[in-house]
Amino acid sequence: MSAMYVGAYWGARAEPASTCAARLARCLESLHGAHPALTSWCHKGRSRAGARRPVDVDPGSLTTLVERGRARRDVDDETIDELGFTGGMWNGQTPSVGLTFQCGATFMPIGNNVVLQLSGGGEGETLTEPAVARAVLDSLVNAWEPVWVTWTTDAWRNAQGAEPGRPVVGWLTYLRGVPAYGIPDELASVAMAGGVLVSAAPTFSEVTEERILSVREALRGAGALDLRGGGSEVGS
């Protein structure tokens, strides 16, 4: 199966490291209750030991982690404020989950995003249980206030040929500022946190590329994809 991920995207939003860290803390706290594989996190590292160091999730430690990812110039190490902060972590267990973030950026070709890279098959299938998936989306939407979120795969993303910064449709697609009544009747949708959540199928395993393209066309025809958030869409 093509690599699966959940990506949340939004436009220019200047935020200091402390605010980004507070959002990250809320996100991790909420993910903790979504699935056993999302209860703890490790730093990424070049060695096995380095990649097993636990991430401390208190506000001070997360602020330090975010600040460490501040964009800087190679030549003189000066900060590049418009590029914000980047960072990442992984859960250190099975099923494997990686988390990356870009926040505080105001340079739109870069944009802002949080992406969860998810294992497929085996124990990874438990992550796609509908209740778990909804809890994961709630965590991302409530903590980061993105413009759009997609639960999709690399193959489905590539098949759509979406313009950079435009929504990519997935099994689940959240669109901020789009009312539920603006979604075509033939699509399953529900109001969610100032927007709408559209489901391509009741379960992840039922989704096909053809269904993704059909949902995309219906949403495009309704004007529901006329959103911009984030720069080049980041996936797995």
Side-chain angles (χ1 to χ4, degrees):
M1 184 182 73
S2 179
M4 175 174 59
Y5 67 93
V6 188
Y9 306 88
W10 62 98
R13 185 192 292 163
E15 293 182 318
S18 59
T19 300
C20 291
R23 290 184 183 277
L24 179 58
R26 288 197 297 272
C27 181
L28 297 180
E29 180 180 9
S30 184
L31 287 173
H32 186 282
H35 189 278
L38 306 176
T39 57
S40 60
W41 299 89
C42 300
H43 292 277
K44 293 183 176 180
R46 296 181 180 179
S47 66
R48 184 182 296 273
R52 291 292 181 180
R53 292 187 301 115
V55 172
D56 294 323
V57 297
D58 62 276
S61 297
L62 288 179
T63 299
T64 299
L65 184 151
V66 172
E67 182 63 45
R68 192 180 299 131
R70 181 186 291 274
R72 295 181 179 275
R73 303 184 192 279
D74 293 333
V75 176
D76 54 14
D77 204 38
E78 287 292 316
T79 62
I80 311 175
D81 293 340
E82 62 267 29
L83 299 187
F85 312 90
T86 61
M89 58 191 71
W90 74 299
N91 66 337
Q93 58 178 295
T94 301
S96 177
V97 179
L99 184 153
T100 61
F101 62 83
Q102 170 93 43
C103 57
T106 58
F107 183 58
M108 282 318 299
I110 298 296
N112 295 290
N113 60 80
V114 173
V115 177
L116 292 172
Q117 298 94 9
L118 308 176
S119 300
E123 294 184 39
E125 292 183 359
T126 62
L127 292 165
T128 64
E129 294 175 0
V132 173
R134 176 59 192 261
V136 168
L137 260 70
D138 283 340
S139 300
L140 295 176
V141 170
N142 293 332
W144 297 98
E145 299 178 283
V147 174
W148 57 277
V149 182
T150 183
W151 189 305
T152 194
T153 70
D154 288 347
W156 296 345
R157 177 192 66 207
N158 295 337
Q160 295 174 61
E163 298 177 19
R166 295 288 190 178
V168 171
V169 172
W171 166 41
L172 303 173
T173 308
Y174 166 77
L175 304 167
R176 180 174 293 276
V178 176
Y181 63 76
I183 301 300
D185 291 339
E186 67 266 25
L187 300 181
S189 64
V190 61
M192 178 183 179
V196 65
L197 178 64
V198 179
S199 304
T203 64
F204 180 83
S205 62
E206 296 177 71
V207 184
T208 63
E209 182 177 303
E210 291 73 22
R211 177 56 180 166
I212 291 291
L213 296 177
S214 174
V215 172
R216 179 176 185 83
E217 182 58 25
L219 291 174
R220 187 198 63 78
L225 299 182
D226 295 337
L227 303 173
R228 283 200 177 275
S232 298
E233 199 262 349
V234 179
S236 60

